[in-house]
Amino acid sequence: MSHPTADIETEDDIRRLVDTFYQKVRADTVLAPIFDDVAQVNWAEHLPRLYDFWSGLLLRTNRYQGHPLRHHFPLPINHTHFARWLALFFMTVDELFAGPVAQEAKLRAHHIGQVFSSRLALVRGQ
């Protein structure tokens, strides 16, 4: 297994991260049914939004416009789903990149997972 030495620096890096990560998500037995069967994600439309989202967080491009949390409220997801999402995200970052922005990506993903999981639990009275 190769050890990554490059950090996340470009839009191509963002696309590589997002594409590789969501390939793992779509193959995952816990997450794939939520994305593909329940949410019926149109990947051709969704992936560019995800590029913009992560580019904004990591490269400060400020292109993303939206409120991602509200789209997750109707989905049958819980802490288990967020933990799996986070594990796959960390695995992907570690496979592809090394450096301060890669570490920031993992910190941001951890925070996103915590916020989403907490707010969904509050809304659902869990």
Side-chain angles (χ1 to χ4, degrees):
M1 179 174 171
S2 67
H3 296 284
T5 57
D7 203 356
I8 301 168
E9 299 174 344
T10 68
E11 293 294 331
D12 285 340
D13 294 337
I14 296 292
R15 283 189 290 280
R16 185 173 170 219
L17 171 62
V18 169
D19 288 344
T20 304
F21 171 62
Y22 280 99
Q23 285 171 0
K24 289 179 184 358
V25 166
R26 294 188 71 198
D28 187 76
T29 58
V30 173
L31 298 176
I34 299 297
F35 282 86
D36 290 329
D37 300 334
V38 177
Q40 298 181 344
V41 171
N42 178 332
W43 291 102
E45 289 179 11
H46 195 54
L47 287 172
R49 286 189 203 128
L50 292 167
Y51 303 149
D52 288 348
F53 178 79
W54 285 104
S55 178
L57 289 178
L58 302 176
L59 303 179
R60 315 293 188 260
T61 56
N62 211 23
R63 288 192 313 259
Y64 180 77
Q65 302 294 316
H67 305 282
L69 183 59
R70 83 170 78 155
H71 299 290
H72 293 79
F73 282 140
L75 299 175
I77 54 180
N78 58 38
H79 178 72
T80 301
H81 296 97
F82 287 108
R84 184 65 184 147
W85 179 88
L86 190 61
L88 291 177
F89 190 86
F90 276 36
M91 180 188 317
T92 304
V93 171
D94 289 342
E95 286 174 4
L96 300 175
F97 303 102
V101 181
Q103 290 304 311
E104 181 181 353
K106 293 192 302 185
L107 288 172
R108 297 279 188 142
H110 183 261
H111 179 72
I112 289 165
Q114 284 186 319
V115 168
F116 275 35
S117 185
S118 301
R119 290 196 180 157
L120 286 171
L122 279 173
V123 166
R124 295 174 182 161
Q126 299 172 336

